Amino acid sequence: MTANRQAARPGVAFPKSLWAAVTAGGPTYRTLDGEAEADVVVVGGGLSGLAAALHLAETGHSVAVIEAAEPGWGAAGRNNGQVIPTLPFHDPDDIIAREGEAGERFVGLLRNSAQHLFNTVSRLGIVAEAQQTGWLQPAHSDGRMRQVESRVEQWAKRGAPVSLLTSEQVRQLTGSDAWFGGWENRSGGHVNPLALTRGLAQAVTVARGRIYANSPAYGIRRDEDRWVVDTKDGRLTARALILATNAYTGEFASLMGTPATHIRREILPVLSWQIATEPMPASVQQAVLPRRHALTDTHLDPHFMRWDARGRLVTGGALANPLSGAWNLKTHITRRLQRLYPGVFDDVRFDYVWNGRIAVTPDHFPRFHKLGPDAVGWTGCNGRGVALALSVGRELARSVTGTPDQDIALPFGPPTVVPYQSLAKAATPLAVAFLRWQDSREVA
């Protein structure tokens, strides 16, 4: 399906991304019109919301998903597609020290999250270009290499399939001698994230779950012993509520004074830019990431890349000056690739540039909440949402169907508001420049 045809789907315009251009369209879901009921209502049709709905439907619960646009319209369909079974900055020892027994369970969830995703894709037969080729994190300095050594030791103690890599091993796996060494988690890899999301949505409907698209939630309230979600043309009541709107909370309506207020006020929605090259010759594909790993290095402003199924290198980054948009990103990424791979990308051309929001918390740790009676929600993927979201969605579903907290692999806690949030949002471009300055100090 072409990008133009995808943009013409009724009721919603998808960004003209690589994924929108190459992914078969899903069904046209009906809007919520009139009164409806379910045992559980899920607000948000991204990866975690659909994973929660799938678990509920497959275990015999009546579930309805309320999606403001279409499944995959938000971050679920716009990201790089890397399947990474870790958090960006928090390692097992830190997580457990922070969250105690709940942290132990959460570490287990993270350890298994990539495998759970690939198992789900296989079980459901989702055509999502899934490749479990492993995830690499090269170290860009001596200091970050010491961090990598500690990271590998901690994950190995918890049974993760990890390996410490020398600089020569990293050179062989990446095709670049720019890094000092690194580590590999063999359970990771990459997918077409929009195809994954649409496949999950189809699986929900096959399991007799309902999805209402183009139905923004304008209100979420408690009415006696039921949760009520109001849309423009309808109303859905349910015993339990799962809020899975993440970085797009409040995009279509303010939802002030609702449980979504907590989610919206504790994150910084940051634009993540993605860019895809034209299809590259086989010689380049053999020279760069020849085993088709997913790669995200140790820069605070990370260098990341992976191959897609058509031989395009899909990479990207943050922009210190987002106003210049696509032109600035092409220039920035061209220089980066030429620095990492001298002589390989001298004439590189890019076919797709797009962006989307990711939910960033001040400490880069996700947030999981009890939002009221039989109501849960989460936010703060911090750029690691693909693997994390499927496992989180399953746990949220288990939580609202009677599983005790001590058996849920999520560290629930109170909301934490970002101080002076509007100012912090405005300062995000300055934060990118500061991170790059910090990175430059780490280069030997």
Side-chain angles (χ1 to χ4, degrees):
M1 175 164 286
T2 66
N4 290 336
R5 287 178 62 195
Q6 179 60 52
R9 287 174 62 80
V12 63
F14 269 70
K16 292 182 179 181
S17 69
L18 168 64
W19 309 129
V22 304
T23 305
T28 301
Y29 298 99
R30 62 192 180 101
T31 61
L32 179 60
D33 185 7
E35 301 281 338
E37 293 187 359
D39 181 41
V40 183
V41 57
V42 179
V43 182
L47 289 173
S48 62
L50 293 171
L54 180 64
H55 181 87
L56 290 162
E58 289 185 334
T59 53
H61 297 274
S62 168
V63 59
V65 178
I66 303 293
E67 165 56 36
E70 286 190 17
W73 179 86
R78 304 193 201 187
N79 63 78
N80 193 261
Q82 295 201 29
V83 182
I84 305 174
T86 70
L87 297 181
F89 300 114
H90 296 273
D91 299 321
D93 288 354
D94 172 53
I95 295 171
I96 294 167
R98 171 187 176 123
E99 301 292 346
E101 292 183 5
E104 292 268 12
R105 298 192 297 272
F106 186 54
V107 166
L109 178 147
L110 287 169
R111 180 195 60 222
N112 299 330
S113 60
Q115 191 62 56
H116 173 64
L117 182 148
F118 287 111
N119 288 348
T120 300
V121 168
S122 177
R123 176 175 69 84
L124 298 174
I126 298 175
V127 181
E129 304 170 17
Q131 292 192 322
Q132 195 172 13
T133 46
W135 173 69
L136 295 176
Q137 186 170 48
H140 78 278
S141 71
D142 279 332
R144 301 292 167 86
M145 191 61 200
R146 289 191 291 274
Q147 181 186 76
V148 161
E149 291 168 354
S150 172
R151 187 164 287 166
V152 170
E153 180 182 2
Q154 291 180 49
W155 278 113
K157 281 182 5 183
R158 275 82 184 186
V162 297
S163 300
L164 186 67
L165 303 173
T166 65
S167 58
E168 175 58 22
Q169 288 173 312
V170 168
R171 187 194 66 77
Q172 293 176 8
L173 294 176
T174 66
S176 173
D177 59 6
W179 290 292
F180 286 68
W183 69 296
E184 176 187 15
N185 188 311
R186 294 182 294 280
S187 72
H190 47 85
V191 297
N192 173 332
L194 181 57
L196 171 63
T197 309
R198 288 182 174 158
L200 286 174
Q202 183 177 7
V204 169
T205 60
V206 168
R208 304 184 69 84
R210 285 168 284 157
I211 296 176
Y212 297 102
N214 301 306
S215 301
Y218 292 141
I220 302 172
R221 55 194 169 87
R222 184 79 171 164
D223 186 0
E224 296 184 349
D225 62 346
R226 304 283 285 177
W227 286 101
V228 181
V229 179
D230 294 303
T231 67
K232 179 181 178 182
D233 299 310
R235 175 178 300 165
L236 195 147
T237 62
R239 174 192 61 81
L241 166 73
I242 296 175
L243 193 60
T245 46
N246 217 325
Y248 286 86
T249 305
E251 171 72 8
F252 293 85
S254 70
L255 295 177
M256 294 300 291
T258 76
T261 303
H262 303 308
I263 300 296
R264 186 177 183 181
R265 295 181 63 192
E266 65 183 350
I267 62 166
L268 296 174
V270 173
L271 279 185
S272 176
W273 287 81
Q274 308 294 327
I275 190 167
T277 68
E278 63 185 352
M280 303 300 290
S283 58
V284 175
Q285 295 184 51
Q286 284 299 312
V288 177
L289 295 174
R291 300 187 191 176
R292 305 187 78 82
H293 285 85
L295 180 153
T296 306
D297 80 354
T298 55
H299 281 91
L300 298 175
D301 174 25
H303 299 8
F304 58 88
M305 65 189 79
R306 43 72 60 103
W307 291 109
D308 85 331
R310 289 148 295 277
R312 299 179 189 274
L313 191 69
V314 190
T315 178
L319 287 178
N321 179 13
L323 297 178
S324 56
W327 178 86
N328 193 0
L329 187 69
K330 288 180 180 180
T331 302
H332 177 59
I333 295 301
T334 297
R335 291 171 178 167
R336 175 182 293 176
L337 291 176
Q338 290 174 350
R339 185 171 66 252
L340 294 174
Y341 297 97
V344 177
F345 291 101
D346 287 348
D347 299 313
V348 65
R349 295 175 182 172
F350 300 99
D351 285 348
Y352 298 92
V353 181
W354 69 100
N355 64 53
R357 292 181 184 176
I358 59 174
V360 174
T361 55
D363 60 359
H364 300 279
F365 196 88
R367 303 289 194 265
F368 309 100
H369 303 310
K370 296 292 187 75
L371 299 171
D374 297 316
V376 294
W378 86 291
T379 192
C381 64
N382 291 287
R384 296 290 170 88
V386 179
L388 180 62
L390 264 68
S391 293
V392 166
R394 177 198 62 208
E395 294 301 291
L396 295 175
R398 294 177 66 231
S399 179
V400 298
T401 53
T403 302
D405 286 357
Q406 61 266 28
D407 296 325
I408 298 294
L410 302 176
F412 289 112
T416 53
V417 174
V418 176
Y420 306 105
Q421 187 187 49
S422 59
L423 293 177
K425 289 179 184 178
T428 298
L430 296 176
V432 173
F434 178 67
L435 293 178
R436 290 178 182 168
W437 175 76
Q438 287 183 299
D439 284 333
S440 70
R441 299 183 67 201
E442 282 269 11
V443 175

